PDB file of all heavy atoms in Angstrom:
ATOM      1  N   ILE S  81     162.871 329.632 224.403  1.00  0.00           N
ATOM      2  CA  ILE S  81     163.369 330.988 224.164  1.00  0.00           C
ATOM      3  C   ILE S  81     163.726 331.186 222.699  1.00  0.00           C
ATOM      4  O   ILE S  81     163.401 332.213 222.092  1.00  0.00           O
ATOM      5  CB  ILE S  81     164.593 331.259 225.060  1.00  0.00           C
ATOM      6  CG1 ILE S  81     164.165 331.275 226.527  1.00  0.00           C
ATOM      7  CG2 ILE S  81     165.265 332.577 224.690  1.00  0.00           C
ATOM      8  CD1 ILE S  81     165.316 331.200 227.496  1.00  0.00           C
ATOM      9  N   GLY S  96     159.347 338.027 224.071  1.00  0.00           N
ATOM     10  CA  GLY S  96     160.733 337.659 224.351  1.00  0.00           C
ATOM     11  C   GLY S  96     161.353 338.508 225.442  1.00  0.00           C
ATOM     12  O   GLY S  96     162.025 338.000 226.345  1.00  0.00           O
ATOM     13  N   LEU S  99     159.720 337.598 228.717  1.00  0.00           N
ATOM     14  CA  LEU S  99     160.179 336.281 229.159  1.00  0.00           C
ATOM     15  C   LEU S  99     161.563 336.385 229.782  1.00  0.00           C
ATOM     16  O   LEU S  99     161.834 335.779 230.832  1.00  0.00           O
ATOM     17  CB  LEU S  99     160.206 335.308 227.981  1.00  0.00           C
ATOM     18  CG  LEU S  99     160.678 333.883 228.303  1.00  0.00           C
ATOM     19  CD1 LEU S  99     159.759 333.226 229.319  1.00  0.00           C
ATOM     20  CD2 LEU S  99     160.757 333.039 227.027  1.00  0.00           C
ATOM     21  N   GLU S 100     162.447 337.142 229.151  1.00  0.00           N
ATOM     22  CA  GLU S 100     163.786 337.346 229.710  1.00  0.00           C
ATOM     23  C   GLU S 100     163.704 338.013 231.079  1.00  0.00           C
ATOM     24  O   GLU S 100     164.419 337.634 232.013  1.00  0.00           O
ATOM     25  CB  GLU S 100     164.622 338.194 228.753  1.00  0.00           C
ATOM     26  CG  GLU S 100     164.957 337.507 227.444  1.00  0.00           C
ATOM     27  CD  GLU S 100     165.916 338.326 226.598  1.00  0.00           C
ATOM     28  OE1 GLU S 100     166.736 339.062 227.167  1.00  0.00           O
ATOM     29  OE2 GLU S 100     165.843 338.230 225.359  1.00  0.00           O
ATOM     30  N   ALA S 101     162.824 339.012 231.192  1.00  0.00           N
ATOM     31  CA  ALA S 101     162.652 339.694 232.477  1.00  0.00           C
ATOM     32  C   ALA S 101     162.104 338.731 233.525  1.00  0.00           C
ATOM     33  O   ALA S 101     162.544 338.738 234.682  1.00  0.00           O
ATOM     34  CB  ALA S 101     161.721 340.887 232.307  1.00  0.00           C
ATOM     35  N   ILE S 103     162.334 335.352 233.639  1.00  0.00           N
ATOM     36  CA  ILE S 103     163.357 334.380 234.026  1.00  0.00           C
ATOM     37  C   ILE S 103     164.403 335.039 234.914  1.00  0.00           C
ATOM     38  O   ILE S 103     164.875 334.461 235.901  1.00  0.00           O
ATOM     39  CB  ILE S 103     164.005 333.752 232.786  1.00  0.00           C
ATOM     40  CG1 ILE S 103     162.983 332.906 232.026  1.00  0.00           C
ATOM     41  CG2 ILE S 103     165.212 332.904 233.169  1.00  0.00           C
ATOM     42  CD1 ILE S 103     163.510 332.324 230.731  1.00  0.00           C
ATOM     43  N   GLY S 104     164.769 336.282 234.570  1.00  0.00           N
ATOM     44  CA  GLY S 104     165.733 337.014 235.397  1.00  0.00           C
ATOM     45  C   GLY S 104     165.215 337.251 236.803  1.00  0.00           C
ATOM     46  O   GLY S 104     165.946 337.085 237.787  1.00  0.00           O
ATOM     47  N   PHE S 166     170.061 330.765 236.118  1.00  0.00           N
ATOM     48  CA  PHE S 166     170.974 331.912 236.027  1.00  0.00           C
ATOM     49  C   PHE S 166     171.497 332.074 234.611  1.00  0.00           C
ATOM     50  O   PHE S 166     171.534 333.184 234.068  1.00  0.00           O
ATOM     51  CB  PHE S 166     172.145 331.747 236.992  1.00  0.00           C
ATOM     52  CG  PHE S 166     173.241 332.756 236.763  1.00  0.00           C
ATOM     53  CD1 PHE S 166     173.110 334.051 237.232  1.00  0.00           C
ATOM     54  CD2 PHE S 166     174.382 332.416 236.046  1.00  0.00           C
ATOM     55  CE1 PHE S 166     174.099 334.995 236.988  1.00  0.00           C
ATOM     56  CE2 PHE S 166     175.381 333.350 235.811  1.00  0.00           C
ATOM     57  CZ  PHE S 166     175.233 334.645 236.288  1.00  0.00           C
ATOM     58  N   ILE S 167     171.924 330.978 233.988  1.00  0.00           N
ATOM     59  CA  ILE S 167     172.458 331.052 232.626  1.00  0.00           C
ATOM     60  C   ILE S 167     171.386 331.555 231.668  1.00  0.00           C
ATOM     61  O   ILE S 167     171.650 332.385 230.791  1.00  0.00           O
ATOM     62  CB  ILE S 167     172.987 329.676 232.189  1.00  0.00           C
ATOM     63  CG1 ILE S 167     174.213 329.287 233.030  1.00  0.00           C
ATOM     64  CG2 ILE S 167     173.359 329.677 230.703  1.00  0.00           C
ATOM     65  CD1 ILE S 167     174.723 327.892 232.778  1.00  0.00           C
ATOM     66  N   LEU S 168     170.149 331.057 231.828  1.00  0.00           N
ATOM     67  CA  LEU S 168     169.055 331.520 230.980  1.00  0.00           C
ATOM     68  C   LEU S 168     168.751 332.993 231.233  1.00  0.00           C
ATOM     69  O   LEU S 168     168.433 333.742 230.308  1.00  0.00           O
ATOM     70  CB  LEU S 168     167.801 330.682 231.234  1.00  0.00           C
ATOM     71  CG  LEU S 168     167.853 329.228 230.754  1.00  0.00           C
ATOM     72  CD1 LEU S 168     166.621 328.479 231.237  1.00  0.00           C
ATOM     73  CD2 LEU S 168     167.955 329.157 229.241  1.00  0.00           C
ATOM     74  N   ALA S 169     168.846 333.414 232.501  1.00  0.00           N
ATOM     75  CA  ALA S 169     168.534 334.805 232.843  1.00  0.00           C
ATOM     76  C   ALA S 169     169.530 335.770 232.222  1.00  0.00           C
ATOM     77  O   ALA S 169     169.181 336.888 231.844  1.00  0.00           O
ATOM     78  CB  ALA S 169     168.518 334.985 234.356  1.00  0.00           C
ATOM     79  N   THR S 170     170.790 335.334 232.111  1.00  0.00           N
ATOM     80  CA  THR S 170     171.796 336.195 231.493  1.00  0.00           C
ATOM     81  C   THR S 170     171.837 336.004 229.978  1.00  0.00           C
ATOM     82  O   THR S 170     172.503 336.762 229.276  1.00  0.00           O
ATOM     83  CB  THR S 170     173.189 335.894 232.069  1.00  0.00           C
ATOM     84  OG1 THR S 170     173.473 334.491 231.928  1.00  0.00           O
ATOM     85  CG2 THR S 170     173.256 336.258 233.541  1.00  0.00           C
ATOM     86  N   PHE S 171     171.113 334.985 229.496  1.00  0.00           N
ATOM     87  CA  PHE S 171     171.016 334.693 228.066  1.00  0.00           C
ATOM     88  C   PHE S 171     172.394 334.636 227.414  1.00  0.00           C
ATOM     89  O   PHE S 171     172.625 335.207 226.362  1.00  0.00           O
ATOM     90  CB  PHE S 171     170.105 335.706 227.359  1.00  0.00           C
ATOM     91  CG  PHE S 171     168.665 335.399 227.618  1.00  0.00           C
ATOM     92  CD1 PHE S 171     168.089 335.736 228.824  1.00  0.00           C
ATOM     93  CD2 PHE S 171     167.912 334.753 226.669  1.00  0.00           C
ATOM     94  CE1 PHE S 171     166.762 335.425 229.082  1.00  0.00           C
ATOM     95  CE2 PHE S 171     166.579 334.437 226.919  1.00  0.00           C
ATOM     96  CZ  PHE S 171     166.003 334.776 228.120  1.00  0.00           C
ATOM     97  N   GLN S 172     173.300 333.939 228.101  1.00  0.00           N
ATOM     98  CA  GLN S 172     174.621 333.718 227.526  1.00  0.00           C
ATOM     99  C   GLN S 172     174.555 332.494 226.621  1.00  0.00           C
ATOM    100  O   GLN S 172     174.148 331.417 227.052  1.00  0.00           O
ATOM    101  CB  GLN S 172     175.652 333.490 228.640  1.00  0.00           C
ATOM    102  CG  GLN S 172     175.754 334.683 229.584  1.00  0.00           C
ATOM    103  CD  GLN S 172     176.814 334.442 230.624  1.00  0.00           C
ATOM    104  OE1 GLN S 172     177.995 334.598 230.364  1.00  0.00           O
ATOM    105  NE2 GLN S 172     176.405 334.072 231.812  1.00  0.00           N
ATOM    106  N   GLN S 173     174.947 332.652 225.382  1.00  0.00           N
ATOM    107  CA  GLN S 173     174.883 331.570 224.417  1.00  0.00           C
ATOM    108  C   GLN S 173     176.284 331.214 223.950  1.00  0.00           C
ATOM    109  O   GLN S 173     177.227 331.976 224.111  1.00  0.00           O
ATOM    110  CB  GLN S 173     174.007 331.974 223.224  1.00  0.00           C
ATOM    111  CG  GLN S 173     172.575 332.313 223.627  1.00  0.00           C
ATOM    112  CD  GLN S 173     171.747 332.751 222.442  1.00  0.00           C
ATOM    113  OE1 GLN S 173     172.245 332.861 221.328  1.00  0.00           O
ATOM    114  NE2 GLN S 173     170.473 332.995 222.690  1.00  0.00           N
ATOM    115  N   HIS S 229     165.140 344.783 230.319  1.00  0.00           N
ATOM    116  CA  HIS S 229     164.238 343.992 229.488  1.00  0.00           C
ATOM    117  C   HIS S 229     162.786 344.427 229.673  1.00  0.00           C
ATOM    118  O   HIS S 229     162.015 344.462 228.697  1.00  0.00           O
ATOM    119  CB  HIS S 229     164.392 342.506 229.808  1.00  0.00           C
ATOM    120  CG  HIS S 229     165.688 341.919 229.350  1.00  0.00           C
ATOM    121  ND1 HIS S 229     166.099 341.977 228.039  1.00  0.00           N
ATOM    122  CD2 HIS S 229     166.674 341.267 230.030  1.00  0.00           C
ATOM    123  CE1 HIS S 229     167.282 341.371 227.912  1.00  0.00           C
ATOM    124  NE2 HIS S 229     167.643 340.947 229.114  1.00  0.00           N
TER     125      HIS S 229
END
Side-chain angles (χ1 to χ4, degrees):
I81 294 166
L99 180 61
E100 293 186 30
I103 294 176
F166 169 79
I167 293 174
L168 291 172
T170 54
F171 283 78
Q172 300 182 79
Q173 300 178 357
H229 290 304

